[in-house]
Amino acid sequence: MNLIVLGAQGVGKGTIAKELAKKYKLTHLATGDILRENVKNKTKLGKIAEPYMLKGALIPTPLIINVMTKKIKQIKKQNFILDGYPRNLKQARSLTQIKIDKVIHLNATKKTLIKRISGRRICDKCQSTYHIKNLPPKKEGICDKCGNELHQRADETPSAIKKRLKIYHKLTEPLIKLYKRKKILIEIETEQPIKDIIKDCIKQI
Ligand code: ADP
């Protein structure tokens, strides 16, 4: 089974995708994590992507299509869950030859999204994510998994967040209609505890 998770910034895509990856033994392919890793390692891709990411803009579509097509080929026969891809219709078209079984759309109000984004903390070393209220680490400011210090992402300034949400509504929401037409869309309400969101996803899958 191959899955896609769709949802606005702050909806909890990464957290839910990781849990579903564990449950169904899927490879978790998160574009944001892949790009941040490249920025950290100062690769050619990272150098091109960084200014876009800092502004909260999407990186050029041909570039991300190239990255993701290669990644999907690399993992060969393994099943996957895509998180952060596709984000526009062109990117969705790059997947037409690939079997996608279900697309999970995670819903939340704008107020909830902003609250979730501002409390989000990330480990630069192992990419684990936390939330100061909803998913705090055992020791404040320290990653449970690797002991590294936690940070706020550089693109989580109010202006970058606003820009990312705008882009989401304009470019990514049309994908919801597309997958609804294909009859593979699952709608999930996220105004409930994470364990209940996961239960809901599993039940609907
Ligand atoms: P969010 O979903 O909260 O914006 P991500 O971690 O998924 O965060 O992505 C961070 C940044 O990486 C995006 O703001 C964008 O610059 C870039 N990015 C991620 N996925 C894509 C994509 N599919 N197409 C273009 N740019 C992307």
Side-chain angles (χ1 to χ4, degrees), residues 2 5 19-20 49 67 82 88 104 108 138 150 156 163 169 174 201 203-204:
N2 294 322
V5 188
E19 289 293 323
L20 294 176
V67 172
L82 297 180
N88 58 31
I104 300 163
K138 290 192 186 90
L150 299 176
E156 307 216 298
K163 182 154 190 187
H169 288 299
C201 292
K203 201 166 102 195
Q204 292 211 49

Side-chain angles (χ1 to χ4, degrees), residues 157-176:
T157 59
S159 70
I161 291 171
K162 261 197 208 143
K163 182 154 190 187
R164 281 158 54 205
L165 284 173
K166 243 195 189 149
I167 294 175
Y168 176 79
H169 288 299
K170 187 157 167 248
L171 300 179
T172 312
E173 276 191 350
L175 301 184
I176 295 164

